[in-house]
Amino acid sequence: MTDRPLTLMAVHAHPDDEATGTGGVLARYAAEGIRTVLVTCTDGGCGDGPGGVKPGDPGHDPAAVALMRRQELEASCDVLKVSDLEMLDYADSGMTGWPSNDAPGSFWQTPVQEGAARLAELMRHYRPDVVVTYDENGFYGHPDHIQAHRITMAALEMTALAPKVYWTTMPRSMMQRFGEIMREFHEDMPEPDPAEAAAMAEIGLPDDEITTWVDTTAFSGQKFDALAAHASQGENIFFLKMGKERFGELMGMETFVRVQDATGAAIPENDLFAGLR
């Protein structure tokens, strides 16, 4: 036996990603006495600036945005009771097709082995029992999410550790429900063209392919408040428009696909730490 606490490491691309997909599990497991480590790979400099100024527009200062988002990230971590925050501080690559994708020093342009070596060092330090990141498509194709996936899987290969590994996902039934809710809040929202609709239909997984359903209903208020801590990006965070009560009703379950496991815990499971305690 060891005195080392059970440890969860979540590897995310940008400030605010930690709250959207894993805010519930970070809060829940922190409350259960598990060490929670958040690794944020980029500085978020391609986010909105003060007053909603967009990247590339006059007055948008990526360095100032990155500083503001660092402060918001720290506030979110306080809300979620994250034990340890680590920032790799690569430059935000922006959305697919933005010129910033090709900028020297951007996360997307960073050699995978370089980023993986830095992450592997953190893994050896914290020795996580569970690691969570995105799937190979970054859930919806964002370059920095894809890169976070790549460096996480490469870092695991560099270490002698054998944690349970999960990729965040969402059941297709819930994706359909979110589409209905978005139309409810935006009655004038046009129907997507067939190609866009087909792409959206591929996001997430069929419900029966999801291995892990974690009930975080009791922590949905913390999750909402963590998202709200990223106030500068509020225009882009649809979930905040629901209000806390509606948010809690819809966002109380976080879902994952287990891709590495040495415990033999049966699936489907309702606990990322099944087989470890």
Side-chain angles (χ1 to χ4, degrees):
M1 298 296 289
T2 175
D3 292 332
R4 186 182 65 82
L6 285 172
T7 300
L8 165 66
M9 176 180 282
V11 183
H12 282 291
H14 311 97
D16 77 27
D17 290 333
E18 80 290 339
T20 306
T22 58
V25 292
L26 287 169
R28 170 179 162 168
Y29 290 123
E32 293 179 6
I34 288 171
R35 187 177 199 176
T36 52
V37 180
L38 171 63
V39 180
T40 301
C41 296
T42 80
D43 61 9
C46 285
D48 289 356
V53 62
K54 304 297 182 184
D57 287 349
H60 186 277
D61 180 351
V65 171
L67 177 60
M68 174 179 64
R69 297 195 71 187
R70 170 64 184 251
Q71 295 167 344
E72 292 176 338
L73 177 60
E74 291 173 350
S76 172
C77 287
D78 286 344
V79 170
L80 298 173
K81 310 301 181 187
V82 169
S83 309
D84 300 271
L85 170 63
E86 299 282 355
M87 295 199 70
L88 300 185
D89 267 334
Y90 289 108
D92 189 343
S93 309
M95 300 295 285
T96 303
W98 287 13
S100 47
N101 293 175
D102 300 320
S106 71
F107 190 37
W108 184 239
Q109 291 299 316
T110 299
V112 169
Q113 293 303 301
E114 176 190 321
R118 294 181 60 195
L119 183 56
E121 185 177 344
L122 293 174
M123 288 180 175
R124 293 187 191 102
H125 174 72
Y126 289 107
R127 302 184 65 81
D129 301 281
V130 171
V131 173
V132 175
T133 193
Y134 314 99
D135 63 20
E136 60 266 80
N137 191 46
F139 185 59
Y140 68 97
H142 192 298
D144 286 332
H145 291 217
I146 293 171
Q147 190 76 329
H149 163 86
R150 290 174 176 172
I151 73 161
T152 301
M153 302 312 291
L156 287 163
E157 291 183 1
M158 292 178 178
T159 72
L161 305 173
K164 296 179 80 177
V165 180
Y166 293 89
W167 296 343
T168 57
T169 191
M170 190 170 287
R172 295 260 169 86
S173 61
M174 183 58 74
M175 289 297 298
Q176 182 178 353
R177 180 72 180 119
F178 281 146
E180 294 167 356
I181 293 166
M182 289 183 73
R183 283 187 288 274
E184 176 185 328
F185 278 84
H186 303 280
E187 294 180 0
D188 58 348
M189 188 172 72
E191 289 292 328
D193 63 48
E196 184 180 346
M200 288 294 293
E202 293 301 312
I203 295 177
L205 287 174
D207 293 34
D208 60 0
E209 292 183 20
I210 291 173
T211 65
T212 310
W213 304 70
V214 184
D215 185 353
T216 62
T217 304
F219 303 93
S220 58
Q222 277 175 264
K223 182 172 178 174
F224 184 92
D225 290 342
L227 274 171
H230 297 279
S232 68
Q233 309 306 305
E235 181 182 330
N236 304 316
I237 303 176
F238 162 75
F239 302 112
L240 293 176
K241 297 178 173 65
M242 298 180 184
K244 186 176 285 190
E245 183 176 350
R246 186 82 180 276
F247 179 89
E249 294 170 358
L250 294 166
M251 300 294 288
M253 185 72 69
E254 292 185 350
T255 51
F256 307 86
V257 172
R258 192 176 82 190
V259 295
Q260 180 175 302
D261 171 61
T263 69
I267 53 176
E269 59 187 0
N270 60 11
D271 179 9
L272 298 178
F273 288 85
L276 292 169
R277 55 180 176 171

